Amino acid sequence: MAIAATILMLAFAGWALLPRQKTPLVLRPNEPTAPRQEELLVTQTAVLDLRDRSPQRGAEPSPAVPPLEMAHNASNVQIYLPFGSDGGIYDVRIMTTQGEPLLVVAGKAKLKQGLTSMGVDVPPSTIRSGRYILQIRKRGWEWSSFPLVVR
């Protein structure tokens, strides 16, 4: 009996003193091996700065003004309105050069530290690369147009 107790104590001491390995990661068949699609989505924000631009009234922008630029994969657009713009509800349109609307949204512009700005969301795959016209108006006012290039 003493021999059995000694063997049992040596086995326990050996087990307690041996370095332990971490348990290996085991993936079950229903666990994904890579991040899911929705985890890979990142919001791309474009900034359209109109502060130094004079608005052109009507549907046609001035051809001498260099176009605004934004990425085709932008899902959020922050618009810095021209100096002197009031806060409030604004309508925003992105039109083809033939006058067809691709995006029509409304947003609330806020004046903060001398900058009137607003944000609008753009649904994925709404706008492809090309030349467009950005139109903005305060509710009840005329449209102001700006050339826009989407890259």
Side-chain angles (χ1 to χ4, degrees):
M1 187 69 144
I3 295 176
T6 305
I7 292 173
L8 189 56
M9 281 185 10
L10 287 173
F12 179 74
W15 172 80
L17 296 175
L18 286 175
R20 293 193 174 106
Q21 283 187 318
K22 291 184 179 178
T23 306
L25 175 64
V26 177
L27 294 178
R28 294 180 182 88
N30 61 350
E31 290 181 329
T33 57
R36 290 177 284 170
Q37 179 83 18
E38 52 270 8
E39 293 174 347
L40 296 175
L41 294 178
V42 176
T43 301
Q44 296 291 329
T45 300
V47 176
L48 300 178
D49 191 346
L50 307 175
R51 290 178 291 179
D52 292 332
R53 295 177 182 252
S54 300
Q56 299 294 315
R57 302 288 180 210
E60 294 298 317
S62 172
V65 177
L68 298 161
E69 292 187 18
M70 69 179 253
H72 71 279
N73 61 346
S75 55
N76 179 272
V77 178
Q78 291 296 313
I79 302 171
Y80 298 165
L81 296 172
F83 286 118
S85 297
D86 294 327
I89 303 296
Y90 282 78
D91 297 313
V92 177
R93 296 193 300 202
I94 296 181
M95 310 284 285
T96 66
T97 55
Q98 291 80 32
E100 299 171 29
L102 293 180
L103 178 71
V104 179
V105 293
K108 185 173 184 178
K110 296 179 182 175
L111 178 61
K112 191 179 218 180
Q113 297 179 347
L115 172 65
T116 307
S117 65
M118 62 183 287
V120 295
D121 291 327
V122 179
S125 305
T126 301
I127 303 169
R128 300 180 196 268
S129 297
R131 294 188 169 276
Y132 299 96
I133 300 168
L134 171 70
Q135 293 186 317
I136 299 177
R137 72 173 176 188
K138 188 165 184 180
R139 286 270 165 94
W141 293 57
E142 290 183 44
W143 290 101
S144 296
S145 299
F146 304 89
L148 173 67
V149 172
V150 176
R151 300 201 187 280

